[in-house]
Amino acid sequence: MNLTLSPEHEEIRRLVRNFAEREIKPRAAEIDQRSEFPRDLVDRAAELGLMGILIPEVYGGAGLDHLAFAIFIEEVAKHCASTAIILDVHASVGSEPITLFGSEAQKRRWLPGMAAGKLLGAFALTEPEAGSDAAHLQTSARRRNGVYVLNGTKTFITNAGQAGLYVVMAATQPGRGAAGITAFVVGGENPGLKVGPPFAKMGLNGSPIAEIVLQDCQVGEDDRLGAEGDGFRIAMRALDTGRIGISAQAVGLAQGALDDAVAYAKERRQFGRPIAEQQAIQFKLADIQTGVSAARWLTWKAAARCDAGQPFTRDASMAKLFATDMAMSATLEALQVLGGYGYLEEFPMARRVRDAKACQIYEGTNQIQRIVIARELAAAG
Ligand code: COS
């Protein structure tokens, strides 16, 4: 068992860490305060070749593996979880379904623009009445004269309004549940696709999340991903990678909080010595460090199993469950280390707490992750 990163993974970590420290960190507070979509950072990520991190080289991507993807998202999330989720959704659920399930023509049509950062990806599964129970979505796709006509409303769509394409799940056979769902690629310019205003939310303010309405939205047969009825499996496979990304985002949030808490604890003196020398604080820092390490290993293990072609659904769910619960408690505890300063918006701790909460909810709530893990246990037994 090799527990060290390869030189290539070390290199990607160095590259992203540099980018994040020099260019993302100084922008993070204003992105949050102004609810600003960080177009400049997306463009820079594209220049660095990061927008196509998982896209094969033949389509203009970097063709790197899921471990590299996890490292990338962690390093970005350390400083700005909004930017991390924008890049994560693009790289995982927004583009990987095309890489994995698209026809040669679809790959050639969409992937080079996505790898170049010209087309941002989004993923549209959730609906107002179908969240955790994704198989019961209501959006319909009816085939008429050689085209599909999509009607329905999708909600909580990350990158809504900024995306150049949406991977949309719709029912070609309504009433058949998972078996009746088909996946489509819908271009952002499609006149049948309307984007609602971004939701005002608790955190992740730089990441626009909104409703999209599909009204007589026409797409060609060549915009269908896979066969009719494959859509649910495509969505679930996309979410397996997506959950590795959310785990990495959570690890980054917690690592960033820990780094700041340690630096503060070494500086801050009370009762005649730095608070880092006082057990009440030491115990908090030790617990956060332990949680971060455990979550990172779970995340990397899920990524490594994916890259080795092994089943990794349960691993991705375990990583997502553990890392995001850990990030919630770690960011709160790190805030406590900073005392009153942690509560001020002037410091990044409060933002991290607000951002961490989303990780326990999206790409499958942590209750859904437990269901996935338990079902696999039962299936194996
Ligand atoms: N990879 C590939 N296929 C998968 C899969 C996976 N990870 N998970 C399930 N499938 C397949 C199953 O094998 C099954 O196929 P067959 O009918 O051919 O056997 C099909 O998909 C239906 O699966 P299942 O019966 O498990 O569906 P359920 O309706 O019971 O739903 C859960 C399963 C709850 C796990 C699913 O609905 C889910 O993940 N919900 C959360 C959705 C989510 O994450 N939303 C967030 C959206 S992005 S913010």
Side-chain angles (χ1 to χ4, degrees):
M1 187 178 190
N2 186 355
L3 293 178
T4 54
L5 289 179
S6 69
E8 291 76 24
H9 291 113
E10 288 286 6
E11 180 53 35
I12 189 86
R13 182 153 71 172
R14 220 174 2 255
L15 173 91
V16 185
R17 192 170 281 179
N18 244 331
F19 168 45
E21 282 173 2
R22 291 190 191 165
E23 301 180 58
I24 298 179
K25 185 178 177 187
R27 293 267 288 109
E30 64 182 356
I31 288 169
D32 177 58
Q33 284 154 13
R34 295 184 194 162
S35 295
E36 178 196 337
F37 178 78
R39 169 58 61 191
D40 56 329
L41 298 178
V42 172
D43 291 346
R44 276 293 291 145
E47 279 169 29
L48 294 169
L50 296 168
M51 295 304 278
I53 190 157
L54 287 173
I55 295 176
E57 284 174 282
V58 57
Y59 305 110
L64 298 182
D65 59 13
H66 293 75
L67 180 54
F69 161 66
I71 291 168
F72 162 41
I73 298 300
E74 176 186 335
E75 292 300 325
V76 174
K78 235 194 245 179
H79 300 294
C80 182
S82 285
T83 304
I85 190 65
I86 291 165
L87 302 177
D88 167 65
V89 163
H90 166 83
S92 61
V93 290
S95 60
E96 199 175 37
I98 301 173
T99 303
L100 293 180
F101 302 102
S103 64
E104 188 54 33
Q106 287 169 333
K107 292 183 202 179
R108 292 201 178 283
R109 177 170 172 204
W110 299 109
L111 294 179
M114 299 189 91
K118 292 188 187 124
L119 286 175
L120 196 64
F123 180 77
L125 173 66
T126 301
E127 299 183 357
E129 302 298 331
S132 292
D133 187 6
H136 286 91
L137 55 81
Q138 301 295 311
T139 295
S140 62
R142 290 180 208 286
R143 207 172 181 159
R144 231 186 265 153
N145 308 325
V147 295
Y148 288 93
V149 183
L150 275 56
N151 278 288
T153 300
K154 297 288 180 179
T155 195
F156 294 117
I157 308 305
T158 296
N159 292 343
Q162 298 290 339
L165 70 89
Y166 297 78
V167 175
V168 176
M169 266 53 66
T172 37
Q173 290 188 287
R176 284 205 62 206
I181 295 174
T182 302
F184 298 91
V185 181
V186 181
E189 303 296 316
N190 190 309
L193 182 148
K194 298 268 182 297
V195 180
F199 296 132
K201 47 193 178 348
M202 174 177 171
L204 294 178
N205 290 331
S207 155
I209 297 184
E211 205 167 75
I212 63 168
V213 178
L214 301 154
Q215 199 172 10
D216 293 330
C217 175
Q218 292 196 10
V219 294
E221 283 187 22
D222 54 355
D223 292 318
R224 192 187 66 225
L225 274 184
E228 283 196 14
D230 282 351
F232 194 75
R233 275 189 301 275
I234 291 176
M236 291 298 117
R237 172 58 189 80
L239 283 167
D240 286 343
T241 291
R243 289 166 185 167
I244 293 176
I246 303 304
S247 313
Q249 183 193 24
V251 172
L253 270 162
Q255 182 69 61
L258 176 63
D259 292 347
D260 285 0
V262 169
Y264 180 84
K266 291 204 293 206
E267 288 287 315
R268 174 74 169 170
R269 297 177 71 85
Q270 292 290 282
F271 305 103
R273 60 201 168 115
I275 61 170
E277 291 173 18
Q278 301 179 20
Q279 255 186 7
I281 300 299
Q282 288 177 327
F283 284 11
K284 284 192 192 305
L285 297 176
D287 286 349
I288 300 171
Q289 170 67 82
T290 306
V292 171
S293 283
R296 183 180 293 116
W297 282 119
L298 277 176
T299 306
W300 286 6
K301 182 184 173 205
R305 285 182 64 85
C306 172
D307 293 329
Q310 294 164 342
F312 71 102
T313 298
R314 179 173 52 178
D315 300 270
S317 284
M318 289 195 300
K320 201 272 188 188
L321 168 61
F322 184 82
T324 64
D325 281 353
M326 179 282 300
M328 192 69 256
S329 63
T331 52
L332 275 169
E333 286 297 86
L335 186 152
Q336 188 72 14
V337 171
L338 270 70
Y341 294 106
Y343 198 66
L344 302 183
E345 286 291 348
E346 195 183 327
F347 297 89
M349 287 302 195
R351 165 162 49 90
R352 290 195 180 104
V353 170
R354 291 187 282 103
D355 291 350
K357 185 63 206 168
C359 301
Q360 294 178 301
I361 300 171
Y362 54 26
E363 304 220 2
T365 62
N366 282 1
Q367 288 66 38
I368 288 295
Q369 306 312 323
R370 288 181 173 91
I371 288 171
V372 172
I373 297 161
R375 277 186 183 182
E376 291 224 358
L377 275 176

